[in-house]
Amino acid sequence: MKYLTTFFTTLLLIALTACQPNQEMERPPQDEKEWSIALHGGAGYVSKDMPEDRKQAYMESLEEALAIGAEILENGGSALDAIEKTVNYLEDNELYNAGKGAVFTAEGKNELDAAIMDGSTLNAGAVTGVTTVKNPISLARKVMTESKHVFFSADGAETFADQTDVERVDPSYFYTESRYQSLQRALEQEKEESFNTYKTDEEKAWRYGTVGAVAKDKDGNLAAATSTGGMTNKKFGRVGDVPIIGSGTYANDLVAVSATGWGEKIMLHVSAHTLASYMQFKNATLQQSMNYLVDDVLEPGDAGFIAVDKYGNFSMKTNTGSMFRAATDSEGNKEVGIWE
Ligand code: ASP
């Protein structure tokens, strides 16, 4: 009798399990775009009352950066080349917090972080705390392709740079008056409140401005790149999310992701990898995965992301109020914008 009860209980359990609705989402079959690219120039809060000429300067630079990457991809170039050259342009533009125009550390220096990842090989390169490399993303790419390692920091990254042909500059090259004034404001404000507390949206705005790009090329390869000066008033040796593979930068054969925003929050949620994992293990679409990360995992005001998937879909989303961004693909879809 005991065995019979066990037998029927087991049968019942099997039947119940079989009747459970499938919790997995179905990623619908999708048309593939030949290539696509998305870029960001930082997330934060930018007032809609921004002076018209400044707004125009941002919009024009986003368009120009996008055109660089799109042309490379249209001509059959690699996703890696497209994102490196796109990010180089943004690094050289002092509107953005990367390369020229990087924010200042608490000690009044510019210490730059960057990472790049090749989704087709899962290889990556990253640097943190570099002070004399004009385009840190190009150094990160060389870490990926010309070293046995993935991540070099500070003096070590400079020593590695000595062994490459990347362009070097005097640290004073990175100085911009507006970023220096931002540091002065941050130092003043810090006297009045505890470290890393943001009272108003306006205060958040001038701490951000990282740049990034993600792309899919005609061969179907995905790649991601992010470059930054970090956060204004960052302390002694602080490393943000950007150069930490899986946090601010990640690519595999399914999706490429680049982040911007409050680095500490982004890295605590291993954000870029979380998006990729959600997509993979839930069979979710790119947009479902982006919504999960931005709306459910992170909190309002934390961060924004750009991503491109293997079908060539792009997605750009922030919960900070604004994100400088642009994207386009081989079908002529295009988006350039600042506010949510
Ligand atoms: N995420 C960057 C950092 O924390 C800052 C930014 O995106 O603006 O270093």
Side-chain angles (χ1 to χ4, degrees):
M1 182 64 191
K2 198 176 117 198
Y3 292 116
L4 218 60
T5 315
T6 315
F7 175 72
F8 281 116
T9 314
T10 312
L11 262 189
L12 190 69
L13 276 174
I14 291 171
L16 277 175
T17 314
C19 289
Q20 284 289 323
N22 186 1
Q23 299 294 315
E24 292 296 305
M25 297 176 203
E26 269 305 308
R27 199 178 314 127
Q30 315 192 30
D31 290 339
E32 280 205 30
K33 282 121 198 155
E34 266 196 302
W35 59 264
S36 66
I37 181 164
L39 65 90
H40 68 74
Y45 173 81
V46 176
S47 166
K48 287 196 172 152
D49 299 332
M50 165 194 254
E52 201 48 44
D53 55 338
R54 196 164 168 80
K55 182 177 156 194
Q56 212 171 321
Y58 272 113
M59 292 300 277
E60 276 170 16
S61 60
L62 292 170
E63 291 270 5
E64 275 171 31
L66 190 66
I68 292 169
E71 194 186 336
I72 292 172
L73 294 166
E74 178 57 32
N75 291 332
S78 70
L80 280 169
D81 282 345
I83 58 174
E84 182 189 356
K85 298 297 172 232
T86 301
V87 168
N88 284 162
Y89 170 90
L90 295 166
E91 287 175 330
D92 292 345
N93 187 323
E94 65 178 68
L95 285 174
Y96 300 98
N97 169 21
K100 176 86 179 164
V103 299
F104 283 84
T105 67
E107 292 106 358
K109 295 185 190 155
N110 305 103
E111 295 178 351
L112 313 174
D113 299 345
I116 195 163
M117 186 155 185
D118 179 352
S120 61
T121 60
L122 288 184
N123 202 358
V127 292
T128 183
V130 296
T131 55
T132 69
V133 177
K134 182 167 174 271
N135 295 105
I137 201 67
S138 298
L139 182 62
R141 187 168 177 182
K142 286 187 187 292
V143 173
M144 176 171 79
T145 55
E146 295 178 17
S147 88
K148 288 183 190 155
H149 303 292
V150 170
F151 196 177
F152 285 121
S153 73
D155 289 349
E158 298 285 338
T159 304
F160 175 71
D162 294 343
Q163 297 165 17
T164 73
D165 60 359
V166 293
E167 191 174 344
R168 309 296 281 278
V169 289
D170 186 85
S172 61
Y173 162 81
F174 298 108
Y175 181 93
T176 54
E177 185 60 23
S178 64
R179 297 294 189 189
Y180 189 70
Q181 290 312 324
S182 293
L183 173 65
Q184 303 316 309
R185 287 201 296 276
L187 291 171
E188 273 306 306
Q189 182 195 324
E190 199 178 49
K191 286 183 196 154
E192 293 153 30
E193 55 185 73
S194 65
F195 175 60
N196 252 352
T197 313
Y198 307 118
K199 272 193 197 146
T200 66
D201 288 341
E202 212 56 54
E203 286 160 11
K204 286 177 190 166
W206 45 259
R207 292 178 193 235
Y208 299 146
T210 292
V211 309
V214 290
K216 177 205 168 184
D217 62 30
K218 284 185 176 174
D219 292 329
N221 297 324
L222 294 164
T226 321
S227 182
T228 188
M231 289 170 83
T232 300
N233 195 21
K234 64 182 182 182
K235 308 292 187 224
F236 30 80
R238 180 263 192 188
V239 180
D241 60 296
V242 168
I244 298 178
I245 299 304
S247 284
T249 310
Y250 189 71
N252 58 19
D253 58 1
L254 186 59
V255 66
V257 190
S258 171
T260 172
W262 190 345
E264 279 67 13
K265 294 294 191 76
I266 296 168
M267 73 172 97
L268 287 171
H269 294 288
V270 201
S271 296
H273 192 266
T274 293
L275 188 155
S277 298
Y278 191 87
M279 206 172 158
Q280 182 175 354
F281 299 122
K282 284 273 194 187
N283 250 333
T285 64
L286 176 62
Q287 200 51 50
Q288 286 166 335
S289 311
M290 180 65 89
N291 293 345
Y292 168 71
L293 177 64
V294 175
D295 299 336
D296 300 346
V297 176
L298 291 152
E299 287 171 32
D302 281 352
F305 300 85
I306 55 168
V308 160
D309 70 11
K310 70 169 185 175
Y311 310 102
N313 299 311
F314 58 74
S315 173
M316 307 187 284
K317 183 165 171 154
T318 187
N319 61 25
T320 61
S322 60
M323 177 166 72
F324 298 106
R325 64 188 184 278
T328 189
D329 62 28
S330 51
E331 313 265 282
N333 299 305
K334 190 172 168 188
E335 186 185 325
V336 183
I338 301 176
W339 290 279
E340 268 183 63

